[in-house]
Amino acid sequence: MARINHDTVELWQGWQRRELRVDRCKDCGTWVFPPRPFCPGCWSDALVGTALGGAGRLVSYSLPRVAPGSPPVVSGVVALAEAPGVRLLARIVGIEPERVALGMPLALGWWEDDGGVYPQFGPVDAAPARPDGGAVGGVADEGAADGGAGEAGA
Ligand SMILES: [Zn+2]
């Protein structure tokens, strides 16, 4: 998933600290992702790493089938609310695949695999509180309408 090179090593190191950092151009304000040495908007190299809370919305997803009987892993593209234009490919957890919906608000979390830490996203209202007590994400609508929107199977 992560190809580590000179440009992405800082991003990767941030993940290992469970920190999502995205570079922002100091000169024109463009968010720069994936990481690269120069701003694609104005060619400035004055890029400043900015830690994000990770609130976002789902803009695309797929449900790859694994083996029969095993749950599909939802792979999604998340648009970050704090960094317009930045989209992150990550797995979506904490929700049944048939309830995944485009545009749904998501909160950042982390998972570990094979010695590495990777970002993942889950529904805002199901996201666990952070150890420091702060809520994950920004929006926490209580009691979202949950009445009879189920789809009949084909
Ligand atoms: Zn720029």
Side-chain angles (χ1 to χ4, degrees), residues 78-133:
V78 181
L80 298 177
E82 298 149 285
V86 174
R87 295 179 169 200
L88 200 63
L89 179 67
R91 68 178 202 172
I92 309 300
V93 298
I95 182 169
E96 291 157 36
E98 57 270 21
R99 298 186 67 90
V100 171
L102 290 179
M104 65 184 294
L106 295 169
L108 175 66
W110 301 95
W111 64 288
E112 291 181 45
D113 183 49
D114 201 19
V117 179
Y118 301 86
Q120 67 181 11
F121 288 83
V124 168
D125 50 5
R130 287 182 176 169
D132 63 12

Side-chain angles (χ1 to χ4, degrees), residues 13 18 58 61 78 93 113:
Q13 287 170 347
R18 296 169 189 253
L58 189 64
Y61 69 95
V78 181
V93 298
D113 183 49

